[in-house]
């Protein structure tokens, strides 16, 4: 049954509440109580009747009834439920009901109709085959994704989320998440959010066998406002966001409302090519244009695909939204993204102006993490200007802010990056000083072994010869043995393979590749390089194609570009779609990637 009152609609079968068509967070017991009261709106329900109907055999106090009645009144107004002294509670709002009607969903024929139209359009306008093929594949995936999403909405499937107690800078304060018709929460008390965010590379694989989706977060208060940074981690991606409110209850309600958006789970539970992810985000944004978290992620997807003009348009929308909401958080995030876009466009002065604006907004709400990020971004600009003194000041300040925010990862990233830049600026003593400082911090924080792998990795960067590099790279792989997909392990493995091939020591190169057990894009690329060194062109082409497919699916743009470049330049083979890969590089290659491969691109007239 559907009940309509004020501007609300309540589905008593699925226990889903909407206001003006948008889902509203409501706890499971509150929804059951609302369904009970709406089923007999003229009846005065006693506390005993409510306890029996809602909690049944569970032993709870009468306080539970008071709290749930209070929450419903906060949603619908105090006049919604009337208290009759010593008798109970009665629903007061004018309500009418309708029978539940199943929503229609797209079917295979509708998807086929769209595809047939696309094929006709291709023939009519003579669109190249490789573009037409990609467009059809994109439409199929979007159609299937929308079909899946609508079926989930129709069936009322619950999303199972294991949540780790949020870390909190507020004494004796914690959010307790209760189940809803769409969300099934399980509390994991054996972890805390700060530790999990720092060690997720190693911790998550041991948890995901029983809990695939993990929610963690950090809660703080400033100037009578409450702020939550949350992270929803799935097997293939993460979904991050920031929320604020006038009370903990306000933040809790916003979080529950946001987590009920079904498209989020399709993004993190299965691999999605960047274009499909962007399509899903675009649809979600059009459906809910005032959700700043969706908009922020859409901006990031445009930047990832090197569509910087579109990304800038969306950041302007985020600024307008932030101004309307009077939200320094949203404004600061928008300016920080604009700076990133302008830096990639080599407009450093304009980028610096945006960083100044971002820093002001983050300071208004004492957001130390984002202040740290902003100062870290300043170092990119100072590197373009070759100003080491400014680089050092910005990164040390970034590390200090991270310490104040109790964010170990941000602190260590700032120190290790400063070590690299000190090396680039021939600061021999300081490059080791900051690296040793980072190592001391790792020991102090008792971090997992894969963190220490960054130390020999940087020593390999500093090494003056291949002979000096080799033992450091081997040590990286030893330290990262339990986390073979971590970026530092993958980078070290590629460098070590390149070193062996350069020496023509193919036995060691083959042993390194044979030791790889995981079928990832990075490992397929190593097999590509080895096959080329072994003079096995067909095998090299097959592995390069697989690398491209895996990297595209995983959203690893740079690796997919490397695979495209390999296919374009290494062999002449009719199985390679040269037009497609040339167009792919032209469309997606960022300036820093082009700069790194400029000689090869010029020699083969690719750009």
């Amino acid at each position: 049954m559907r009940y309509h009152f004020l501007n609300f609609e309540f589905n008593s079968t699925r226990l889903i509440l909407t206001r003006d068509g948008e889902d509203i967070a409501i706890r499971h017991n509150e929804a059951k109580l609302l369904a009970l009261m709406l089923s007999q709106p003229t009846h005065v329900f006693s506390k005993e009747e409510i306890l029996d109907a809602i909690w049944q055999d569970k032993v709870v106090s009468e306080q539970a009834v008071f709290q749930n009645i209070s929450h419903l009144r906060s949603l619908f107004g105090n006049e919604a439920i009337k208290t009759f002294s010593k008798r109970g509670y009665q629903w007061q709002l004018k309500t009418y009901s309708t029978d539940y009607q199943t929503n229609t969903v797209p079917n295979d024929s509708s998807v086929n109709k769209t595809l047939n139209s696309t094929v006709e359009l291709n023939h009519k306008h003579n669109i190249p085959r490789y573009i037409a093929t990609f467009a059809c594949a994109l439409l199929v995936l979007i159609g299937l994704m929308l079909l899946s999403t609508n079926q989930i909405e129709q069936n009322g499937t619950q999303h199972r989320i294991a949540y780790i107690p949020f870390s909190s800078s507020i004494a004796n304060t914690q959010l307790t998440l209760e189940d809803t018709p769409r969300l099934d929460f399980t509390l994991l008390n054996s972890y805390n959010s700060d530790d999990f965010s720092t060690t997720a590379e190693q911790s998550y694989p041991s948890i995901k066998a029983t809990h695939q989706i993990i929610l963690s977060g950090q809660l703080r208060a400033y100037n009578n406002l409450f702020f939550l940074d949350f992270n929803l981690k799935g097997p293939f991606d993460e979904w991050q966001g920031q929320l604020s409110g006038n009370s903990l209850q306000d933040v809790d309600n916003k979080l529950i409302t946001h987590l009920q958006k079904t498209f989020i789970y399709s993004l993190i539970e299965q691999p999605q090519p960047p274009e499909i992810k962007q399509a899903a985000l675009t649809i979600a944004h059009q459906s809910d244009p005032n959700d700043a978290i969706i908009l922020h992620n859409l901006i990031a997807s445009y930047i990832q695909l090197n569509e910087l003009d579109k990304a800038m348009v969306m950041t302007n929308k985020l600024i307008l939204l932030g101004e309307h909401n009077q939200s320094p958080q949203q404004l600061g995030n928008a300016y920080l993204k604009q700076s990133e876009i302008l830096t990639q466009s080599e407009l450093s002065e304009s980028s610096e102006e945006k960083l100044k604006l971002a820093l002001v907004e983050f300071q208004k709400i004492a957001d130390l993490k984002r202040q740290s990020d902003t100062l870290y971004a300043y170092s990119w600009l100072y590197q373009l200007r070759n100003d080491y003194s400014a680089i050092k000041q910005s990164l040390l300040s970034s590390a200090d802010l991270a310490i104040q925010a109790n964010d170990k990862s941000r602190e260590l990233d700032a120190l290790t990056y400063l070590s690299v830049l000190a090396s680039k600026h021939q600061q021999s003593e300081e490059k080791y000083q900051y690296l040793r400082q980072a190592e001391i911090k790792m020991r102090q924080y008792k971090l997992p072994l894969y963190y220490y792998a960054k130390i020999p990795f940087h020593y390999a960067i500093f090494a003056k010869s291949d002979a000096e590099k080799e033992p450091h790279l081997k040590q990286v792989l030893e330290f990262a043995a339990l986390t073979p997909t971590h970026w530092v392990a993958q980078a070290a493995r590629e460098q070590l393979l390149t070193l062996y091939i350069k020496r023509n020591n193919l036995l060691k190169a083959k042993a390194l590749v044979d030791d790889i057990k995981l079928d990832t894009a990075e490992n397929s690329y190593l097999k590509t390089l080895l096959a080329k060194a072994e003079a096995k062109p067909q095998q090299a082409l097959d592995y390069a194609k697989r690398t491209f497919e895996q990297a595209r699916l995983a959203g690893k743009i740079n690796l997919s570009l490397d695979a495209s470049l390999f296919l374009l330049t290494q062999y002449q083979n009719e199985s390679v779609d040269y037009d497609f890969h040339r167009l792919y590089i032209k469309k997606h290659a960022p300036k820093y990637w082009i700069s790194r491969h400029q000689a090869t691109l010029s020699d083969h007239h690719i750009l």
Side-chain angles (χ1 to χ4, degrees), residues 191-206 408-409 412 438-456 475-484 486 488:
Y191 294 87
N192 68 68
S193 284
D194 283 341
D195 288 345
F196 181 77
S197 65
T198 306
T199 65
E201 189 79 23
Q202 185 169 310
S203 301
Y204 177 71
S206 65
K408 301 177 181 68
S409 295
L412 294 170
E439 185 175 10
I440 290 169
K441 290 283 188 174
M442 291 174 190
R443 297 185 188 283
Q444 178 184 332
Y445 296 146
K446 299 179 181 179
L447 296 178
L449 195 57
Y450 72 86
Y451 264 90
Y452 296 90
K454 299 176 185 179
I455 304 302
Q475 192 174 33
V476 170
L477 297 183
E478 291 175 10
F479 286 170
L482 296 177
T483 54
H486 190 266
V488 71

Side-chain angles (χ1 to χ4, degrees), residues 317-336:
K317 291 184 71 172
L318 186 55
I319 287 172
L320 291 175
L321 185 61
E323 290 174 342
H324 178 267
N325 294 333
Q326 296 182 332
S327 170
Q329 190 79 70
Q330 294 168 10
L331 287 169
N333 287 335
Y335 292 135
L336 193 54

Side-chain angles (χ1 to χ4, degrees), residues 208-256:
K208 73 174 182 179
T210 52
H211 303 290
Q212 282 210 329
I213 301 177
I214 308 293
L215 175 65
S216 58
Q218 292 79 37
L219 186 66
R220 65 185 183 87
Y222 184 74
N223 278 356
N224 298 318
L225 286 175
F226 293 85
F227 298 89
L228 174 67
D229 279 16
F230 72 87
N231 182 293
L232 197 66
K233 184 171 181 60
F236 291 99
D237 208 345
E238 298 179 357
W239 181 262
Q240 299 176 338
Q242 297 162 274
L243 295 167
S244 61
N246 295 316
S247 65
L248 282 175
Q249 184 66 46
D250 189 16
V251 172
D252 191 7
N253 289 339
K254 287 180 179 179
L255 177 62
I256 296 298

Side-chain angles (χ1 to χ4, degrees), residues 22-284:
E22 295 186 4
D23 286 358
I24 299 297
I26 184 169
R27 292 180 173 84
H28 189 60
N29 287 334
E30 293 169 14
K32 289 171 65 177
L33 176 56
L34 178 59
L36 176 66
M37 302 193 78
L38 290 175
S39 67
Q40 301 181 62
T42 60
H43 181 68
V44 177
F45 289 93
S46 68
K47 291 190 289 292
E48 291 75 17
E49 286 178 303
I50 293 173
L51 286 169
D52 288 343
I54 307 304
W55 284 273
Q56 298 175 351
D57 297 331
K58 294 182 180 179
V59 178
V60 296
S61 70
E62 294 182 351
Q63 185 65 28
V65 176
F66 302 147
Q67 289 177 347
N68 280 267
I69 291 290
S70 176
H71 289 162
L72 291 178
R73 282 172 172 161
S74 68
L75 280 173
F76 310 128
N78 289 330
E79 69 282 359
I81 300 172
K82 183 176 180 179
T83 301
F84 289 84
S85 181
K86 298 182 180 181
R87 291 179 59 198
Y89 306 93
Q90 184 188 57
W91 184 253
Q92 297 293 302
L93 298 180
K94 184 177 180 181
T95 303
Y96 67 93
S97 61
T98 58
D99 289 334
Y100 175 76
Q101 297 293 328
T102 302
N103 291 330
T104 58
V105 298
N107 53 37
D108 292 342
S109 62
S110 65
V111 175
N112 289 334
K113 183 178 179 182
T114 304
L115 288 175
N116 291 335
S117 300
T118 304
V119 172
E120 291 175 6
L121 184 66
N122 293 340
H123 287 300
K124 181 178 179 181
H125 295 283
N126 196 28
I127 296 175
R129 176 178 57 82
Y130 56 88
I131 296 179
T133 301
F134 181 76
C136 287
L138 187 63
L139 281 170
V140 168
L141 287 168
I142 292 173
L144 291 174
M145 183 171 61
L146 290 174
L147 177 62
S148 173
T149 297
N150 284 330
Q151 286 173 337
I152 288 172
E153 294 290 352
Q154 181 187 21
N155 296 333
T157 301
Q158 274 193 322
H159 303 292
R160 296 183 177 180
I161 300 173
Y163 77 97
I164 296 171
F166 297 159
S167 62
S168 178
S169 61
I170 317 162
N172 302 317
T173 301
Q174 184 55 263
L175 290 180
T176 301
L177 304 179
E178 295 185 10
D179 294 349
T180 74
R182 293 185 181 179
L183 302 174
D184 179 1
F185 290 108
T186 300
L187 178 62
L188 294 180
N189 269 321
S190 55
Y191 294 87
N192 68 68
S193 284
D194 283 341
D195 288 345
F196 181 77
S197 65
T198 306
T199 65
E201 189 79 23
Q202 185 169 310
S203 301
Y204 177 71
S206 65
I207 303 175
K208 73 174 182 179
T210 52
H211 303 290
Q212 282 210 329
I213 301 177
I214 308 293
L215 175 65
S216 58
Q218 292 79 37
L219 186 66
R220 65 185 183 87
Y222 184 74
N223 278 356
N224 298 318
L225 286 175
F226 293 85
F227 298 89
L228 174 67
D229 279 16
F230 72 87
N231 182 293
L232 197 66
K233 184 171 181 60
F236 291 99
D237 208 345
E238 298 179 357
W239 181 262
Q240 299 176 338
Q242 297 162 274
L243 295 167
S244 61
N246 295 316
S247 65
L248 282 175
Q249 184 66 46
D250 189 16
V251 172
D252 191 7
N253 289 339
K254 287 180 179 179
L255 177 62
I256 296 298
T257 299
H258 185 77
L259 293 180
Q260 291 186 126
K261 298 179 185 298
T262 297
F263 82 94
I264 296 172
Y265 303 91
S266 66
L267 296 182
I268 67 175
E269 290 184 307
Q270 53 195 356
Q272 301 280 4
E275 288 83 2
I276 300 300
K277 182 176 181 179
Q278 187 181 96
L281 288 168
T282 300
I283 293 167

